[in-house]
Amino acid sequence: MTTTRSVVRHLYVARHGEADAFGALTDVGRVQASLLGERLAGVPVDAVWHSPLPRAVSTAHALARHLPGVAPAEAAELVDHVPHVPDRADLNPAWAGFFDGVDHAEATAGSSLATALVDRFATAPDPTVTRDTHEVLVTHSFQVAWLVRHALDAPASRWLGLDSGNTGLTVLEYRAGLPPRLVAFNDMAHLPAELRWTGFPDGPRP
C-alpha cells in the first residue's frame, strides 16, 4: 500500500540577535545572527521575512549572507507587539503588573496583528503548491511565543512565559488537514555556551 506524502510548509522562527538599549544589534548579536545563518545554510530556504524593527532587519540580513539567492523582505505582522491581554479576572496575579501601561487601543491593535500573523504564516500550504516550502521568520520573543501557543492550540493567555533567547530557533511544520507540528523550540545548538541565553534574566542555565 502506498500513501501520498503531504506537502509541508516549514517555518524557522527566530528572535533577533542581542540588541542594545537603542534597538541596534550588539557585537554579540551580530555573531549570533551569523551563526544562525550558518546553521540554516543547509536548509533549502525559499524566503527570509523580518520584522520592520532595526534589530530584526539587521539579524535577517546578517543570516541571509549565508543563504545565497535569498533576499530578506519585511513583514509587518512580525513587528514586536503584545498579542493578547487576558481579562483581569483570568489573569494570574504574578502577571498583573506586566500589562500596566497597555491601554485598550494598544491591546486591540496587538490582537489584530496577532491574528494577521497567524493568518499569513501559520497555515498549511496552498493547494496549488506541489513541493515543500521553507521560510525563515526573524521576529521577537512575544511573536515566537504566539506562534508556539497557536501550534499547540493552547489558551490565548498561554503565550505568557514562553520566552526565547536571542536567535533561539523554533521550527514549526504545517500540513493540510493536520494540526501544526512543533519540531523545536528555542534551540540554541548553533551558539557556543557563552553566547546562549542572552535575552533572559541572569541566573544558572543548563
Side-chain angles (χ1 to χ4, degrees):
M1 178 179 178
T2 60
T3 58
T4 302
R5 179 184 175 278
S6 298
V7 175
V8 183
R9 183 180 192 181
H10 303 264
L11 294 187
Y12 306 88
V13 189
R15 184 183 179 186
H16 57 81
E18 182 188 67
D20 62 23
F22 301 100
L25 289 189
T26 63
D27 290 342
V28 165
R30 285 187 283 274
V31 173
Q32 290 171 328
S34 183
L35 290 172
L36 178 58
E38 289 182 16
R39 181 174 182 179
L40 293 170
V43 175
V45 173
D46 297 293
V48 174
W49 303 99
H50 60 74
S51 156
L53 298 182
R55 56 193 183 273
V57 176
S58 296
T59 300
H61 282 267
L63 71 84
R65 294 190 186 103
H66 299 275
L67 309 173
V70 181
E74 181 178 305
E77 298 88 346
L78 295 172
V79 74
D80 198 9
H81 63 273
V82 174
H84 171 75
V85 178
D87 292 335
R88 288 286 174 175
D90 300 327
L91 185 62
N92 186 308
W95 289 105
F98 182 81
F99 295 101
D100 288 349
V102 180
D103 60 21
H104 178 73
E106 183 178 351
T108 300
S111 178
S112 296
L113 275 169
T115 298
L117 173 63
V118 168
D119 288 347
R120 180 169 180 180
F121 292 110
T123 59
D126 185 276
T128 62
V129 175
T130 58
R131 65 171 182 85
D132 288 4
T133 57
H134 300 262
E135 299 165 83
V136 177
L137 311 184
V138 181
T139 185
H140 307 272
S141 186
F142 293 174
Q143 284 54 64
V144 178
W146 188 251
L147 289 170
V148 170
R149 179 221 62 81
H150 173 266
L152 298 177
D153 197 25
S157 62
R158 195 59 193 89
W159 71 274
L160 290 163
L162 294 175
D163 299 324
S164 293
N166 295 118
T167 71
L169 182 62
T170 293
V171 182
L172 298 159
E173 295 178 353
Y174 301 88
R175 296 167 175 80
L178 292 173
R181 176 180 292 173
L182 176 62
V183 179
F185 172 61
N186 198 33
D187 185 338
M188 303 183 203
H190 50 287
L191 301 176
E194 65 272 17
L195 298 185
R196 297 176 187 174
W197 300 107
T198 63
F200 281 81
D202 291 336
R205 300 293 177 189

